[in-house]
Amino acid sequence: MSGNAGARIFALAAAREGRSAETAPRRSDGHRLGNHGNRAHTLTRTKTITDLKDVLAITGKVTSADKAAVARAAGVTARTVNRWWAAELNRQVQAAHRHAATTTAPIVLPRHLYRYAEPNKVQLTPDEIAFVARHTTIRAALDKFRADPTHRLSNYGLSTLYTAYANVAAPVRAGARYGASAGRKIEATFPLTGRDGVNESWSIDEYDLKVTADHYGLQVEPKVLIVRDRCSGLPLSYVVLPRAATGTDTGVVLAAAAIGYTVTHPDDPGREVRVTGVARHLTSDQGGSFLGETGAAAARRLGIGLTPVPSHQPQANGDHEVMHQSLLRHLADGPGSRRGWTDRAGNRLHHGVLPYDTVLAEVETWFLTHINTPYTSGPRRGRTRLQEYADHLEAGTVFRGHDLSAADEGDVAPEVGTRKYDPTRGIAWQNRYWLSPQLASAANPGQTVHLRQLLNPDVLYAYDAQGRFLGLLTPRDDADLADIEAVHRDRVARERFVKDRVAHPRAQAAQVDAARAQAEVAERLADAAAQEDPWTPASARLAVGNVSVDLTTGEVLPADVSNLDDEDAVANTLADMFNPRPVRDVGGDHDAP
C-alpha cells in the first residue's frame, strides 16, 4: 500500500500513544465533550479508511478479510471498522447527490457505492435474467456476476442477488429458461393474458398527475391509484392521494374495485349494468405499494393473486400506461400544471396552485368520461369500454370468483376513529348517527367501537378492540323502516337473552349461595347455644327467597315443602334459639348463666 503514489503516511504507533494527548473540547469541570464510546484516535480512523481506499483502488473491492486485516493493524474490532467504512461510503453517496443537484448531467456513482445507494431496489435486467436461466444452477450464474470486476453486480452480496432473482415473477423465469410458451402456460405477464374474460385479470398502477395542489395549506403533488379490467379496458376504481401510495391504499382501491358500482346500460337506458367481482390475478409493477408486505397481504385477504411484470419492461403493463396518457391529456398544460409553458430561455414558468377539491373533481370527470370513450383502433373500434364490459357479461365470459363478505372488505379498510356505542341512538360519527342490526346484537352499551372506512362515505365497518368484526354501519337517516325494525328486534332479543340466560341464573345462584352461608352461620350458632342450654328446637327451617334452609341439618329445601310459612313463627323460633332462656333458681347459691 505504501507504494501507491497518492497514499499518505501515518505513524500508527504514535497515534496509539497519543490518544490521551489528543486535543479535544472539554467542559468547565474538565470532562471531555463528544462521543465517549468512540475512544479511537482520529488519526487511527483516518489511517484505517485510507488503507481501505488503497485496497479498493488496487483490487476494485473491499472484502471482509481486508477489513479484518486493517482492524488488527489499528488495534480495534472488525465491527468498528465496518462502522467507519459504512459511514465513509454514505458520505461519498451524499457528496455525489449534492454534486448532482448542481448539474444537469445524470448522476453516475462508482460501482461499489450502488449497494449503499439503493440496497433494497436491486432489479435484474432481461439480459441478466436470461443469463441466469442459461446456467444449471442460480449460484453458478451469480458467482460469474461477482467474479467479473467490470459487471455492475460484482459488488453485491449473494443474498442480495438471490433476493433480486426471487423478485422476478415465476412466469418470467420460466419463460427465460424454457421459452415463451412455457411462461404463458403459468400465466406470465404476456400482453394478451387476462383478456379472455371480465375479471380474469386486473391491472393497477400509480400515476403522477403532474399538477401542484393546495392540501390543507401545504403544496402537494397529487397522485392517482387506478385499478383497471384488462379484458374490457374499463377502469374499476381509483383514489387520489396527496402523497405516494402505500400498501394500505392498494387494499382500499382493490376492495373498492371488488365492490364496484352500478351504471346505466350503454345500449339500453332502461337497464343497469353492475360492475363488480373479484379478479383472478392482479398485474402490477414491482413497486413496494403492490408487492410490499401490506399490499400483498391485502390482495391475499381479498383472494387476488399477484402477477408482477418483469423489471425494466413497462410494456408488459402497457395497456394501463395508455390509459394514463388519456389522463395526461385531460390535465394538459393548465393551471397548476408542472409541465410545458416555458419562456424563451427554456425556464419553466410557474402555473400557480390548484385547490385540492378541484383536482378531485377533475379526476372524477375524467373517470366518468373515460368509461364511455370509444376505442379508436383495433377490432373494438367504435365500442366504448363500458359496452365491451356489458357484452362480456351478456356472453357469460366472466370469471366467477368468490363473493366478498363485509368482514373481508372491512379487514383491508383503514381505521378512521373510535366511538362509544349508544344502544338508543347508535354510533355518532361526523354529525350523523349510524345503525346496524349486527352491532345491536353484538355490542354492549358503552363499548368502544373501532370504525373503518373504504371509499364509500356512507358505509362504516365496526370492530371491537381485539379486531373482531361487529357489523356494517349505515346512516340512520338513510335507513329504511325494515332496518330500524331489525335493529329494535335484535336489541330486544339481546336484552331478553341477557335477562333469561345470564341475569336469572346468576340471581338464582346468588340466592342459593346466600342461603347456604346463612345456614352455615346458623348451624354454628346453634351448636354454641346447645353447649350452654340443653334446650334445642327439634326442627326449624328458615325461608330465604325461593328456598328454605333446615337450621338443624343445613339442608336447602324448596319453599313449597317448608313447614314455616309464618314469618312471625320463624322470628320467634330464631329468638328462642339464639337467646336462651334463663335457668330457674332452685335454691342454689350459683348465678344463672
Side-chain angles (χ1 to χ4, degrees), residues 209-214 220 222 328-341 349-356 358-359 362:
L209 295 178
K210 294 181 172 58
V211 298
T212 304
D214 182 13
V220 297
L328 180 67
R329 291 190 296 269
H330 183 81
L331 299 172
D333 293 352
S337 174
R338 304 199 311 270
R339 301 174 289 110
W341 287 7
L349 299 178
H350 188 267
H351 300 173
V353 180
L354 287 175
Y356 196 75
T358 302
V359 177
E362 289 296 328

Side-chain angles (χ1 to χ4, degrees), residues 66-320:
D66 298 330
K67 296 177 184 178
V70 297
R72 289 192 298 269
V76 296
T77 62
R79 182 178 180 180
T80 301
V81 173
N82 286 333
R83 187 176 68 251
W84 291 349
W85 184 240
E88 174 62 22
L89 294 180
N90 289 330
R91 187 194 65 78
Q92 294 182 26
V93 171
Q94 296 300 326
H97 284 296
R98 287 194 299 269
H99 174 71
T102 61
T103 180
T104 57
I107 179 173
V108 179
L109 296 176
R111 287 183 295 108
H112 64 277
L113 291 181
Y114 275 100
R115 61 182 300 183
Y116 294 93
E118 292 183 333
N120 298 323
K121 297 182 180 180
V122 181
Q123 295 184 352
L124 301 182
T125 63
D127 294 337
E128 292 167 348
I129 296 173
F131 181 80
V132 175
R134 289 194 296 267
H135 289 75
T136 306
T137 62
I138 301 175
R139 177 63 180 269
L142 300 185
D143 287 340
K144 290 184 178 181
F145 286 154
R146 303 180 73 231
D148 184 6
T150 62
H151 199 278
R152 74 178 189 97
L153 301 177
S154 60
N155 293 281
Y156 287 96
L158 280 176
S159 60
T160 303
L161 296 179
Y162 270 116
T163 303
Y165 190 71
N167 287 336
V168 179
V172 177
R173 297 199 301 265
R177 182 178 292 273
Y178 304 109
S181 60
R184 287 196 295 271
K185 286 183 179 179
I186 56 175
E187 299 179 350
T189 52
F190 190 69
L192 297 180
T193 298
R195 296 190 178 182
D196 298 332
V198 169
N199 291 337
E200 179 72 20
S201 174
W202 290 351
S203 61
I204 186 173
D205 202 0
E206 180 184 359
Y207 182 70
D208 185 1
L209 295 178
K210 294 181 172 58
V211 298
T212 304
D214 182 13
H215 185 63
Y216 296 105
L218 298 177
Q219 291 189 11
V220 297
E221 299 176 357
K223 313 291 190 301
V224 62
L225 191 63
I226 307 177
V227 175
R228 173 183 179 273
D229 177 61
R230 300 191 73 190
C231 176
S232 61
L234 181 70
L236 304 177
S237 64
Y238 73 93
V239 58
V240 180
L241 304 168
R243 43 159 177 78
T246 62
T248 302
D249 301 321
T250 299
V252 169
V253 75
L254 287 178
I259 296 172
Y261 53 89
T262 303
V263 293
T264 304
H265 197 284
D267 298 328
D268 186 2
R271 293 189 297 163
E272 293 182 341
V273 175
R274 180 62 184 170
V275 180
T276 184
V278 181
R280 188 162 180 240
H281 57 86
L282 179 68
T283 300
S284 68
D285 57 26
Q286 299 188 19
S289 57
F290 310 133
L291 299 183
E293 181 179 356
T294 306
R300 184 169 57 252
R301 183 68 177 84
L302 298 175
I304 303 175
L306 295 177
T307 306
V309 301
S311 305
H312 309 287
Q313 291 188 17
Q315 64 272 17
N317 197 17
D319 48 1
H320 204 107

Side-chain angles (χ1 to χ4, degrees), residues 24 49 232 266 271 329 331-332 351 400 415 484 489 554 559 561 582:
I49 294 176
S232 61
R271 293 189 297 163
R329 291 190 296 269
L331 299 172
H351 300 173
R400 302 295 181 181
E415 184 173 329
I484 297 177
R489 185 169 54 252
V561 299

